[in-house]
Amino acid sequence: MARHIRQLIVEGTLEPGTRVAEAALAERLGVSRTPVRNALPVLASEGLLEPVGKRGFAVRAFTKEESYAATELRCVLEGYAARKLALREDRAPIVADLRAAMTDGEAIFAKGYVEREDEDRYAAMNRRFHHLVVSGAGDSLLQDMIERVYSIPFVAPDVVAFNRIPADEIFPILMSAQHQHHAMIDAIEAGQADFAESLMRGHSAAARRSLGLEERFDEPKQKGAAQA
């Protein structure tokens, strides 16, 4: 249940500052109030909700700077995951799964452009790639830390925002990210741990551009900017 509510927050369906009503949320998700009630303190411990009143919660607002910094942190942690995966002697099956994920992605780009309908397909492919790298590291503590960072708006690899970027710009941005994916897989397969880590750390720039987080920070701050 916490996962479903978390996704509503990260996608901006539950907007920053919104009071989270158990009854309304339970009706939206088609469940009783009990699992919703149990999930809310979990999300508060992750920093996505903040206490209001005696027993209530509201969606916490995030600044663009926080999302920017969290994206950097995500790629540092994922870089360490890529390093650990590249050092595994039994990495071949994971490399094969990574290449399969890229095959799915190539089908998206084959027509030479992307459109709004491609958003879910790209998000699923990107989520699969990053999940395979993180889980492939075989480090449960590292995975928990990365999942906490993913909970910050704009940061999770399955969050894309085609409507925040001009249509003629999103295709080259995502193609660049896809080339980086291929390069990371090659480095992991070759056991080049330093190079795999470096490539993943550099991947943060593509992630920021794809979410419209490269704007100048001297513009007025927008607390809890909504995302697609």
Side-chain angles (χ1 to χ4, degrees):
M1 182 52 55
R3 178 175 63 84
H4 294 297
I5 302 173
R6 184 185 301 110
Q7 192 67 19
L8 291 175
I9 297 171
V10 171
E11 290 178 347
T13 303
L14 293 176
E15 297 182 353
T18 301
R19 180 78 177 255
V20 181
E22 289 180 8
L25 197 52
E27 183 177 358
R28 175 197 287 266
L29 297 173
V31 299
S32 68
R33 295 177 62 171
T34 300
V36 173
R37 184 181 303 118
N38 292 339
L40 297 184
V42 175
L43 296 171
S45 72
E46 295 178 359
L48 283 176
L49 299 178
E50 56 188 2
V52 292
K54 290 185 177 180
R55 293 178 12 180
F57 295 95
V59 178
R60 180 187 165 195
F62 289 84
T63 66
K64 189 182 298 182
E65 290 90 335
E66 287 174 318
S67 294
Y68 186 104
T71 303
E72 292 287 297
L73 180 57
R74 164 195 149 186
C75 290
V76 169
L77 293 172
E78 288 184 338
Y80 185 57
R83 161 182 283 278
K84 296 196 72 172
L85 175 55
L87 293 173
R88 286 184 58 168
E89 295 293 335
D90 59 347
R91 63 187 177 277
I94 301 172
V95 169
D97 287 342
L98 285 166
R99 294 205 183 280
M102 292 302 96
T103 299
D104 293 342
E106 295 306 322
I108 300 172
F109 299 112
K111 59 183 179 294
Y113 61 91
V114 291
E115 50 195 348
R116 185 68 174 80
E117 291 71 21
D118 294 320
E119 185 169 330
D120 288 344
R121 292 179 64 197
Y122 181 84
M125 181 277 296
N126 203 45
R127 177 177 63 245
R128 184 180 177 195
F129 171 84
H130 288 271
H131 171 74
L132 285 167
V133 172
V134 172
S135 62
D139 186 325
S140 59
L141 175 59
L142 176 62
Q143 187 164 356
D144 287 345
M145 293 173 68
I146 292 173
E147 290 294 335
R148 289 291 298 273
V149 175
Y150 283 173
S151 71
I152 297 175
F154 294 104
V155 176
D158 58 346
V159 176
V160 290
F162 281 21
N163 65 335
R164 291 177 57 86
I165 306 294
D168 61 340
E169 294 180 18
I170 191 66
F171 180 77
I173 289 173
L174 296 184
M175 275 298 299
S176 175
Q178 189 74 345
H179 290 319
Q180 291 176 358
H181 289 155
H182 282 291
M184 281 185 270
I185 296 171
D186 290 342
I188 290 169
E189 183 175 38
Q192 297 171 331
D194 289 344
F195 191 36
E197 181 175 17
S198 176
L199 288 170
M200 184 65 87
R201 288 192 176 205
H203 196 52
S204 61
R208 290 195 308 269
R209 287 196 299 272
S210 69
L211 292 168
L213 291 176
E214 291 287 18
E215 294 141 0
R216 292 166 55 88
F217 284 162
D218 56 2
E219 296 175 355
K221 295 182 181 180
Q222 300 179 13
K223 293 287 287 183
Q227 64 195 68

